[in-house]
Amino acid sequence: MPKRTIEAFVFDLDGTLLHTLPDLIAVTNESLRHFGMPEHDDAAIQSFAANGAVALMLQAVPNNCSPELAQEALAYWKATALDHGALLSRPFPGVVETLERLHEAGKKLGVLSNKFQAGVDDQLAHNLPDLFDVALGDGSVPRKPDPTGMLETARRLGVAPERMAYVGDSVGDMQAAVRAGALAVGVTWGYHPVEQIKAAGADMLFDTPEQLLALI
């Protein structure tokens, strides 16, 4: 356990707080169908999903897709996600209770995601309302692993980065936390291989949300 005092807990969204993969699969394949493009299986879409909608759709469209058509598909994906992109998503077991316990302990709470900002706001409104002091997504700050969003989140929460724990399930999450000087907490219940998370600099790995309570 770290010797530093943790004053704020900041979380990745997809694969960390919320099981959003069913919505990502549905929205991605609906977008591809709309443009007459081949669909992908669940495993492929999961592999595309680490770095936000832009990266997801650029990998999902065919290799011979023009940049203009790829941008049209991305715009359609975002509109579709806002229409029904939170219908199938749910918090992972133990997430809500853990967030409530952290709040009761006086800890500040935030979200930093590579999902586009409107999508972050929509998912939180549907699934985790009124729990976070700040929530930033792509469009508000650069995508992880750029540490800019991490530093901006710390600034808005009013804490030093080294007194912030960042909790995520991907390589980019751990890299951003390390570069910003935050405690990098990897989770094993998400969408990315544990060995990759370890290699990316995770200070610790947790198997359940409740284990975060040890840090208070």
Side-chain angles (χ1 to χ4, degrees), residues 81-176:
L82 289 178
D83 283 342
H84 55 74
L87 295 180
L88 303 177
S89 298
R90 297 291 182 271
F92 285 103
V95 161
V96 174
E97 296 82 359
T98 298
L99 291 171
E100 290 173 345
R101 290 280 302 279
L102 292 172
H103 179 74
E104 290 167 2
K107 304 303 179 181
K108 296 180 179 180
L109 301 177
V111 168
L112 176 63
S113 173
N114 278 347
K115 185 185 288 293
F116 66 113
Q117 184 66 56
V120 170
D121 297 338
D122 186 54
Q123 280 285 0
L124 293 180
H126 277 87
N127 290 296
L128 296 169
D130 305 320
L131 286 172
F132 296 99
D133 301 294
V134 63
L136 297 178
D138 183 27
S140 296
V141 290
R143 290 193 298 274
K144 299 166 290 184
D146 189 308
T148 303
M150 202 76 64
L151 297 171
E152 176 62 14
T153 302
R155 187 189 70 79
R156 295 194 188 193
L157 291 173
V159 302
E162 60 269 21
R163 292 186 178 271
M164 185 171 79
Y166 186 70
V167 185
D169 75 316
S170 76
V171 168
D173 293 336
M174 299 301 99
Q175 290 174 336

